[in-house]
Amino acid sequence: MSQSEQSRLKVYNTLTRHLDDFEPIHPGRVNMFVCGPTVYDVSHIGHGKSYVAYDIIARYLRRKGYSVFFVLNITDIDDKIINRAKENKEDPLKLSERYAQAFYKDMKDLHVDSINLYAKASDYIPEIINQIQGLIDKGIGYKIAGGVYYDISKFPEYGKLSRQNLQQLTVHRIDPDPEKQSPADFVLWKAQKPGEIGWDSPWGKGRPGWHIEDTAITLTHFGPTYDLHGGGTELVFPHHEAEIAQAEGLTGKKPLAKYWAHTGLLSIKGQEMHKSLGNFVPIQDAIRKVGVEALRVLYASTHYRSPLDYTEETLVQSGSLARRFRRAYDQLLQPEGTKSETKSSQEELKRQVDDARTEFYAAMDDDFNTPRALAAYIRIVAIAEERGRSLGRESSSMLMEIMKDLASVLGLLETESVGGESQQLVSLLNSLRSDLRVKKEYALSDRIREQMQKAGVVVEDEAR
Ligand SMILES: [Zn+2]
């Protein structure tokens, strides 16, 4: 990786509001934590934007030679889950397990394969209780009827991530719990309400607050400080601010995370994507429609920190770009006989491709600038398109190797079919299968499904 080692990686850090040199706490090793979903529903393409962004970041850090330990938490107990479970008359943990499984499938189908560990909040109850007890022992946590709260007056640096001061945070707030010492104090442990799920604790039955699960998980796996914390920009306050207060208040070690990298939201016609607004595009729908490579091109076309306003048109455009990458690559797979090349034309080609590759790495080193990296990649694709058929075997395989290698940083060229013509064929096979199922010819339908799955095609079956 001589190319990438030459330039230094810079990361925009929300904590410093600067483009900082990336230097992990332990040389060569990166501990990375990203806020995962609250699993009470299926995930939409806005969630996909964020997780693909951190997937690219983790892939690139590994490419630079770091050993990356990437943990993503799953909030499987929360008000939203409890309310949804009540509506469904379902056990909340069963409901969250079902959506957690759907989420793992979304990540797999999006080729988000860089995550080492999915950590579910309900698996860390003892660690959470320990951490809260530690905060109480230090005089930072206090118990009232509603549960245990964090006394923000005991952590003077509260507000340092979101750049707010304590005074701003403690006035002008409507406080639902007059027992709290300050309106901005946040909950660590929620006392059980009648009919709700709860775990035993020294403060009676209850469940963890949202912020404490992350610090219980990271303290368990990384210790008091680690390298990179990610999540959507909307999580900076109060969620990430509260995490800093909890961890640094408890351990006295700082910073909790050296780099805070936040992703911009995906919107649709300027609005947030939400089921209640009727503009919800599930990840699985988008994959079925255009293929995973199109989605990943769409995400990479926008810098991770920038918002992305989604339109169907841009998704379709990303689809044709993804198909173009595939066609250019496939064309090199079938050299039309051995062509003799002159040494100088070989060298000229190599120089052009090396230039573009250097630019690709420089772009990624510049705060993971994927739109710029994508532009450099397109330069190589254009060379392949223009000269692919006239190249000799040696140049051809050199070009293929570089195309595959750089694509793997962005998670591209990882499926055989990327939509378009292949997608039409998949639709045809799927409709054939539903006809067979109507006629109860399940064995034949299943045989087609098996073959499709072997070919790497995602097949969804409705219940028989
Ligand atoms: Zn979180």
Side-chain angles (χ1 to χ4, degrees):
M1 271 305 47
S2 56
Q3 292 285 337
S4 55
E5 278 161 6
Q6 278 162 18
S7 63
R8 288 178 77 99
L9 173 62
K10 284 184 185 292
V11 178
Y12 183 83
N13 188 353
T14 309
L15 189 62
T16 60
R17 298 288 199 275
H18 272 118
L19 207 53
D20 289 343
D21 281 333
F22 187 73
E23 278 161 11
I25 297 164
H26 305 282
R29 222 175 72 205
V30 176
N31 285 330
M32 162 173 177
F33 177 84
V34 170
C35 285
T38 300
V39 278
Y40 70 104
D41 208 332
V42 297
S43 300
H44 60 63
I45 55 170
H47 303 122
K49 175 185 186 287
S50 188
Y51 301 125
V52 167
Y54 294 110
D55 179 55
I56 292 175
I57 288 175
R59 283 169 182 247
Y60 189 61
L61 290 172
R62 289 190 179 124
R63 173 58 59 95
K64 296 213 44 111
Y66 295 113
S67 157
V68 177
F69 184 25
F70 179 2
V71 178
L72 188 131
N73 73 310
I74 304 280
T75 303
D76 64 340
I77 189 68
D78 173 87
D79 289 341
K80 285 177 186 153
I81 294 167
I82 291 173
N83 293 338
R84 181 62 60 87
K86 237 180 248 169
E87 284 166 31
N88 290 5
K89 297 192 172 55
E90 194 179 0
D91 175 73
L93 287 178
K94 274 201 181 123
L95 176 129
S96 57
E97 176 57 21
R98 197 153 48 82
Y99 285 116
Q101 292 299 333
F103 178 74
Y104 303 146
K105 180 173 175 3
D106 285 344
M107 292 304 101
K108 187 170 169 279
D109 294 345
L110 275 177
H111 300 172
V112 171
D113 54 15
S114 55
I115 297 168
N116 298 92
L117 177 72
Y118 289 109
K120 276 165 71 172
S122 67
D123 289 335
Y124 292 81
I125 301 292
E127 289 84 354
I128 288 169
I129 289 173
N130 264 340
Q131 205 165 89
I132 298 172
Q133 190 58 57
L135 287 166
I136 293 174
D137 294 346
K138 287 204 142 188
I140 300 172
Y142 62 91
K143 185 182 179 298
I144 55 175
V148 180
Y149 281 81
Y150 189 103
D151 178 357
I152 60 160
S153 73
K154 299 281 166 58
F155 189 72
E157 289 181 282
Y158 193 68
K160 68 178 170 184
L161 181 70
S162 56
R163 305 272 167 119
Q164 302 177 80
N165 63 41
L166 275 177
Q167 213 132 42
Q168 285 170 325
L169 292 168
T170 48
V171 293
H172 305 307
R173 280 194 172 225
I174 303 158
D175 182 25
D177 193 341
E179 273 197 73
K180 270 161 59 170
Q181 286 169 13
S182 159
D185 289 354
F186 57 86
V187 70
L188 299 167
W189 186 259
K190 290 184 179 180
Q192 188 181 39
K193 291 185 192 135
E196 265 186 17
I197 182 169
W199 285 264
D200 289 323
S201 83
W203 324 287
K205 271 201 174 238
R207 59 189 164 94
W210 174 36
H211 316 309
I212 197 81
E213 64 179 86
D214 293 29
T215 49
I217 289 165
T218 57
L219 199 68
T220 302
H221 295 289
F222 302 152
T225 59
Y226 60 97
D227 301 294
L228 190 114
H229 190 316
T233 36
E234 76 283 6
L235 299 181
V236 172
F237 186 85
H239 186 48
H240 292 162
E241 200 72 74
E243 278 188 47
I244 291 175
Q246 288 166 174
E248 296 182 12
L250 177 70
T251 68
K253 304 235 166 66
K254 58 184 187 179
L256 164 65
K258 194 171 175 190
Y259 303 93
W260 291 77
H262 290 101
T263 48
L265 274 174
L266 178 139
S267 60
I268 180 159
K269 294 192 181 101
Q271 276 184 315
E272 199 182 322
M273 190 167 275
H274 204 275
K275 258 206 177 140
S276 62
L277 298 172
N279 60 9
F280 192 93
V281 184
I283 288 171
Q284 290 297 335
D285 281 14
I287 292 177
R288 256 197 301 275
K289 200 164 182 178
V290 291
V292 54
E293 307 252 335
L295 259 183
R296 291 196 69 122
V297 167
L298 176 76
Y299 295 144
S301 311
T302 305
H303 190 267
Y304 74 91
R305 282 195 283 120
S306 303
L308 167 62
D309 197 47
Y310 165 84
T311 62
E312 202 147 317
E313 202 187 348
T314 50
L315 184 60
V316 170
Q317 281 167 2
S318 303
S320 50
L321 198 52
R323 283 198 298 281
R324 189 182 153 197
F325 294 168
R326 167 58 63 182
R327 267 199 309 271
Y329 182 82
D330 285 352
Q331 180 186 267
L332 298 170
L333 275 170
Q334 301 143 350
E336 295 174 341
T338 336
K339 303 236 167 53
S340 54
E341 290 173 288
T342 63
K343 191 120 185 97
S344 71
S345 82
Q346 255 185 16
E347 274 166 7
E348 171 61 13
L349 179 82
K350 192 159 182 340
R351 196 190 54 76
Q352 284 177 6
V353 173
D354 279 348
D355 262 11
R357 177 165 60 180
T358 304
E359 163 61 12
F360 181 97
Y361 281 117
M364 290 304 290
D365 279 337
D366 175 22
D367 194 25
F368 312 104
N369 192 330
T370 54
R372 231 181 95 193
L374 208 53
Y377 192 74
I378 291 171
R379 274 168 57 191
I380 299 176
V381 170
I383 295 170
E385 286 169 333
E386 201 184 300
R387 304 194 37 201
R389 287 184 188 282
S390 64
L391 291 176
R393 206 169 285 275
E394 206 178 307
S395 294
S396 210
S397 52
M398 180 270 291
L399 208 48
M400 277 169 68
E401 200 181 300
I402 289 174
M403 283 176 79
K404 196 84 173 173
D405 186 51
L406 297 183
S408 73
V409 171
L410 302 175
L412 299 175
L413 291 187
E414 290 183 354
T415 30
E416 295 309 315
S417 91
V418 292
E421 297 88 21
S422 319
Q423 205 57 41
Q424 284 173 17
L425 197 60
V426 169
S427 306
L428 175 71
L429 286 169
N430 274 331
S431 76
L432 195 64
R433 288 189 59 243
S434 20
D435 291 350
L436 287 169
R437 288 154 68 83
V438 169
K439 292 179 184 164
K440 299 201 177 348
E441 303 219 22
Y442 296 124
L444 187 53
S445 159
D446 288 351
R447 240 176 74 204
I448 298 174
R449 183 188 57 196
E450 264 171 47
Q451 291 303 317
M452 288 169 78
Q453 280 171 336
K454 268 187 199 157
V457 176
V458 181
V459 184
E460 287 288 308
D461 261 355
E462 64 277 26
R464 270 181 196 171

